[in-house]
Amino acid sequence: MTTLSALRQVLAASMVSIGSLRERYGTALVIVIGMASVVGVLTSMLSLTDGLTRAYVSPEDTDRAVVWAGGATFDQSRSLQRDSIGTILDAPGIARGPDGTPLADAEFLMVVPAVEGFADFSLQLRGIGPAGFKLRPAFRVVSGRSFYPGRQELLAGVGAAKRFGLSLGSKVHLPDGDWPIVGLFTYRGEILESYLVGDAETIMTATRRHGFAQVLAQLVNAEVYPKFEAWLTRNPALAVSVERETDHDLRLLGPDTAFFAHMAYLIGGIMALGALFGIVKIMHAAVRTRTREIGTLRAIGFGAGSVAVSVLLEAGLLGVLGALLGTALAWLVFDGREMWVWGSFRLTVSLHLLALGITWALVTSLLGGIFPALRAAKLPASEALRAA
Amino acid sequence: MPGIRVMKYMPLVWAALWRNRTECLLTLLALAIGFALFTTMIALNAAYEASIADARMDRLFITRRFEGGGMPLSYREQLARITGVTAVGGQLWLGGHEQDERHRILVMFVDEGMPAAWPELPLSQADWRALETTPAGIFLTHKAAARRAVTRGDVVTLTTAPGSRADGGGTWYFTVLGIVPDPPGWGQWNPDLIIGNLRYFEESSRLDERSMVNSLRVSVDRPEHARAVCREIERRFTNASVPLNCVPARENARELAEANINMRQVSLGIGAAGLFMILFLWANGMAESVRERLSEFAVLKTVGYGDARLALIVFLEAAVPTVLAALVGVALARGAIAFIAHLAVKGVINIPEMRALPGAFGLALAAALLIALVSAVAPLRRIWRMDVGAVVAGR
């Protein structure tokens, strides 16, 4: 048998198999709904990790780096002393603004006292310096005005404002008194929108802190990073750690997303196992129901392989339909929905999740179709016709 | 008797189920996995709920109002004088790494006020006495001990920056005094718990780090006084060198749960999806089974079986596999729960301690009967409405 005729046979057998689905729509629907449940749960859960990652990590930020005091394992340690900042800004590879000043900014991070009804650490404050806005060209004050350096006033991200009921004129209690919110801002929909932003020097004076948390640096391009890192980490005058901003954000985010991703894959795996047994059962019953049909195909010369492949294709098709339905439902219900996990972000059912869902369903349904397909292939034509 | 009447139909039911063994077993497996998932999710939900319920309303958690640094240990005496306060204890966390730098370790030092201020800590009176007489001793919870493979009498080291100790060193040596149970709900926020004596830290740390704690735990006389006592504590310390923030432990646990990924809602959603899968699979299986055997039911009707008896037979046919699957599913769930607990011990996931719950078993059984009932409705309508003559005649 030539390859072409084998393909024709598979196509013809599949058409017969899929055509007969009309008479077996109930059982076919079980596979579709079952896979839709599996893929729906998987993609819904992963839409959270996808959304969180998008809020924290911007892939275009590979040409930015974060420098913090060596030994500090988290970025709020504020142990980067003032005398180190000048040395860090001298590092090779830092981009320069039109006025020739380095595009790098020493930042201060702190947690604002707990707002009643919200957990401690819920609201964070980021103190930025003169280069802070230049480093973030997408930063937009959408209401009110920006803060004036030296004044005890703050900007609130739109996410923080919504979550904590802050508006223009609201007061935030800090060690040196109540600081007013003078403006609301947006920033690419990123996690910074869940924070308050103010002048680093003014905040540090009020809180009697001397150390910065980190320096954020814009590099000339992503390729200069190794040189930049080597210069800083080998400099005997400094004791700092350096990371690309994307790697830094991913590391901080890791424990939250890893836990949920582990749970999603574990649960998706358990559900897929249940669906797998369901598919074997349904496809087994389908082969039983189609015994006469299969016998006829074999009697007129269709090969065992063609019949087996047609059964596998039917299972795969139903699985993919289920995956499309499950992802569509997850997209309708969850995509774009606002959530708060230590910051505001939107759930995202991305194309990547659609592809993952289809792969998940395809593998499950093809595995579920193997045993019935082999059974169909082994049906001798004479016996199949007699049994029918 | 109803029991005997039910048993009378069992051979008929069994024959119907067993007529296609392969498909029956596959259906049972699919249903069992669905029930295992449902039971596991119920247990997970219960674990998260317990982590909030176990945090008591009459325990207050006190931290600095403005973050950074500690608070004076001397606040204990001032707090103890506030009306409604029955006990005050101080706690301080010391973090570092073990021999391998990648292995983080965190010891919670507590003072002598803690047995009364936080009696839920899993230490017995004898344990507290042992901690008092051996200040360099520590107690590890099962999870913490399992992660480090240590037993009573072993020495655990904690390395911090050089110079963090009064002797100029940076390594702290602790003797394991015992292994204690994991406090319910603890694992959600910290993977494990190691309890040490604050006196040891006070005597061994640098002078400038002494007499400070990270937080204070306060016990109040009645849960309904908790908020009022908190307000009073915050008011009294508004202008202190370190202003205080106070929250009842239960509210703190709830706020933390809401600030994080809401696993309570997620687990219920997944459990519901699992049940939906089972329902759809089994309702279809039942409909198909009855459709293929309509002539059998027509014969039964002809020989005098009434609608109620047929309903009982169909319900039993629907319920026997779901109940069996629920039993197998609960057994599988126990394995899944043990596996998830193992992952938690290994640090792969961070969740409160899960236990196999009798309540989850009851829910699985109730769900099995409900699914059987719903799955039997459509086939029964078909049986009740069929034209017996036509079916017997094969039309």
Side-chain angles (χ1 to χ4, degrees):
Chain A
M1 191 165 52
T2 64
T3 312
L4 187 64
S5 66
L7 274 175
R8 275 191 190 144
Q9 279 195 8
V10 168
L11 197 67
S14 300
M15 292 304 287
V16 172
S17 163
I18 290 163
S20 70
L21 280 175
R22 266 178 300 186
E23 283 108 59
R24 298 179 282 119
Y25 69 90
T27 49
L29 209 56
V30 174
I31 297 184
V32 173
I33 300 282
M35 284 318 304
S37 303
V38 175
V39 173
V41 166
L42 183 72
T43 48
S44 303
M45 289 183 79
L46 291 177
S47 71
L48 194 143
T49 54
D50 237 37
L52 256 178
T53 308
R54 276 165 194 261
Y56 274 90
V57 186
S58 301
E60 62 268 31
D61 287 344
T62 49
D63 59 355
R64 293 186 359 168
V66 180
V67 185
W68 72 100
T73 50
F74 71 111
D75 61 0
Q76 297 197 350
S77 54
R78 294 174 301 246
S79 44
L80 197 58
Q81 294 307 311
R82 200 172 286 273
D83 54 3
S84 303
I85 304 295
T87 315
I88 293 169
L89 297 191
D90 282 340
I94 297 181
R96 305 254 158 198
D99 55 355
T101 54
L103 277 179
D105 191 40
E107 298 187 331
F108 179 80
L109 306 173
M110 71 173 282
V111 176
V112 173
V115 179
E116 196 165 332
F118 294 96
D120 223 352
F121 293 94
S122 290
L123 184 56
Q124 298 188 46
L125 170 59
R126 182 170 292 223
I128 61 174
F133 292 119
K134 289 183 203 160
L135 274 167
R136 299 180 178 86
F139 193 99
R140 299 270 179 279
V141 176
V142 291
S143 174
R145 60 168 175 83
S146 186
F147 59 82
Y148 291 121
R151 279 202 203 167
Q152 292 187 339
E153 47 192 33
L154 300 169
L155 290 175
V158 288
K162 191 172 172 189
R163 173 77 173 176
F164 299 101
L166 300 170
S167 56
L168 292 183
S170 296
K171 300 274 171 54
V172 177
H173 190 57
L174 287 174
D176 231 9
D178 289 336
W179 294 34
I181 302 288
V182 296
L184 304 180
F185 71 87
T186 58
Y187 181 61
R188 305 195 296 202
E190 286 187 18
I191 209 71
L192 188 66
E193 291 183 3
S194 307
Y195 298 165
L196 301 177
V197 170
D199 177 44
E201 291 288 353
T202 316
I203 298 167
M204 287 165 73
T205 307
T207 53
R208 283 101 179 147
R209 300 273 166 193
H210 308 293
F212 288 92
Q214 61 186 33
V215 169
L216 183 64
Q218 174 69 54
L219 304 178
V220 177
N221 54 48
E223 286 69 43
V224 300
Y225 175 78
K227 197 174 162 192
F228 173 77
E229 183 194 13
W231 191 89
L232 287 170
T233 50
R234 288 178 194 163
N235 191 327
L238 293 171
V240 293
S241 301
V242 192
E243 258 179 333
R244 282 187 202 274
E245 192 185 11
T246 42
D247 294 342
H248 180 74
D249 293 342
L250 273 175
R251 185 173 56 79
L252 292 182
L253 187 63
D256 278 332
T257 52
F259 160 73
F260 208 67
H262 279 131
M263 288 298 283
Y265 289 121
L266 186 68
I267 288 162
I270 294 173
M271 288 185 83
L273 189 64
L276 179 78
F277 287 123
I279 292 168
V280 179
K281 184 256 171 187
I282 287 162
M283 292 309 294
H284 187 269
V287 169
R288 183 165 49 81
T289 314
R290 292 176 55 217
T291 304
R292 179 189 299 198
E293 203 177 288
I294 292 167
T296 310
L297 285 172
R298 297 298 311 280
I300 60 172
F302 277 68
S306 310
V307 172
V309 172
S310 74
V311 173
L312 274 178
L313 282 178
E314 182 188 323
L317 176 74
L318 295 174
V320 170
L321 282 176
L324 291 174
L325 179 65
T327 314
L329 284 173
W331 183 79
L332 279 172
V333 178
F334 295 112
D335 191 65
R337 203 163 135 184
E338 205 169 300
M339 290 272 291
W340 183 279
V341 178
W342 302 114
S344 172
F345 69 99
R346 288 182 188 281
L347 298 178
T348 312
V349 180
S350 58
L351 284 175
H352 153 76
L353 288 187
L354 173 69
L356 177 78
I358 289 175
T359 311
W360 200 269
L362 202 57
V363 170
T364 308
S365 50
L366 288 180
L367 283 175
I370 289 175
F371 169 61
L374 289 176
R375 189 166 172 268
K378 282 180 185 167
L379 272 178
S382 54
E383 274 182 38
L385 287 170
R386 199 167 38 242
Chain B
M1 282 169 69
I4 293 172
R5 200 183 303 159
V6 166
M7 289 312 292
K8 198 173 80 179
Y9 301 125
M10 284 312 281
L12 202 59
V13 169
W14 190 249
L17 291 170
W18 211 231
R19 82 201 147 87
N20 193 325
R21 292 176 191 193
T22 313
E23 287 175 22
C24 179
L25 283 173
L26 287 166
T27 308
L28 264 178
L29 279 170
L31 295 179
I33 287 169
F35 277 111
L37 181 70
F38 173 73
T39 315
T40 309
M41 287 301 110
I42 293 293
L44 184 64
N45 177 268
Y48 276 93
E49 290 292 351
S51 70
I52 294 174
D54 288 338
R56 293 173 55 152
M57 194 65 191
D58 54 357
R59 307 278 181 254
L60 311 181
F61 186 56
I62 295 171
T63 51
R64 287 173 63 107
R65 181 146 187 77
F66 302 110
E67 54 120 345
M71 65 177 82
L73 193 55
S74 58
Y75 277 11
R76 281 184 309 190
E77 285 68 37
Q78 297 176 57
L79 287 168
R81 285 197 290 271
I82 293 174
T83 312
V85 171
T86 55
V88 185
Q91 71 182 59
L92 181 132
W93 294 96
L94 179 66
H97 63 80
E98 295 176 66
Q99 283 167 330
D100 185 334
E101 281 193 18
R102 291 167 300 175
H103 295 167
R104 301 281 303 157
I105 180 169
L106 202 58
V107 172
M108 183 179 79
F109 293 108
V110 292
D111 67 3
E112 66 280 5
M114 212 48 113
W118 193 8
E120 293 74 41
L121 269 179
L123 266 61
S124 65
Q125 288 297 324
D127 293 337
W128 283 113
R129 274 197 299 276
L131 201 60
E132 181 58 29
T133 51
T134 316
I138 47 171
F139 282 94
L140 288 88
T141 59
H142 286 300
K143 222 185 250 184
R147 276 189 190 176
R148 294 168 178 82
V150 294
T151 54
R152 188 177 173 165
D154 286 350
V155 172
V156 171
T157 57
L158 184 157
T159 305
T160 52
S164 58
R165 287 175 55 90
D167 57 14
T171 305
W172 303 69
Y173 296 90
F174 301 98
T175 306
V176 178
L177 296 176
I179 314 296
V180 295
D182 288 274
W186 183 267
Q188 193 175 359
W189 320 120
N190 282 313
D192 49 31
L193 177 61
I194 301 172
I195 304 165
N197 189 336
L198 184 64
R199 187 152 57 90
Y200 175 57
F201 181 84
E202 284 288 294
E203 288 167 357
S204 313
S205 63
R206 279 196 331 241
L207 281 174
D208 61 320
E209 297 216 334
R210 294 184 189 180
S211 304
M212 299 291 277
V213 285
N214 295 124
S215 54
L216 291 159
R217 296 254 176 185
V218 167
S219 173
V220 292
D221 52 357
R222 293 168 64 178
E224 51 271 36
H225 289 168
R227 286 198 189 90
V229 173
C230 259
R231 278 195 296 272
E232 178 60 16
I233 290 171
E234 288 184 348
R235 192 189 65 76
R236 283 207 193 183
F237 288 85
T238 301
N239 297 314
S241 59
V242 178
L244 298 183
N245 180 60
C246 175
V247 61
R250 183 172 295 169
E251 287 182 5
N252 188 46
R254 185 173 293 120
E255 286 163 4
L256 273 171
E258 280 159 15
N260 222 311
I261 295 170
N262 194 333
M263 282 305 294
R264 292 176 295 159
Q265 279 180 9
V266 171
S267 55
L268 285 184
I270 296 164
L275 275 191
F276 180 70
M277 257 177 77
I278 297 172
L279 174 68
F280 212 77
L281 176 69
W282 189 227
N284 185 273
M286 276 302 294
E288 198 184 349
S289 169
V290 167
R291 191 172 58 240
E292 286 174 2
R293 291 164 38 241
L294 263 185
S295 54
E296 283 176 32
F297 288 102
V299 171
L300 288 175
K301 261 193 160 179
T302 313
V303 298
Y305 276 58
D307 283 349
R309 285 165 83 185
L310 287 176
L312 183 64
I313 291 170
V314 172
F315 176 71
L316 283 175
E317 202 179 314
V320 167
T322 54
V323 170
L324 262 177
L327 292 173
V328 177
V330 167
L332 288 175
R334 288 181 78 93
I337 290 167
F339 177 64
I340 292 172
H342 171 74
L343 290 182
V345 168
K346 291 285 175 196
V348 180
I349 52 174
N350 216 5
I351 56 167
E353 195 180 357
M354 283 173 71
R355 295 191 186 99
L357 301 165
F361 171 69
L363 271 175
L365 213 55
L369 291 173
L370 186 69
I371 286 170
L373 197 65
V374 175
S375 305
V377 171
L380 270 176
R381 279 166 62 93
R382 189 169 194 148
I383 290 170
W384 286 339
R385 287 178 177 182
M386 74 179 163
D387 178 348
V388 175
V391 173
V392 171
R395 279 181 270 134

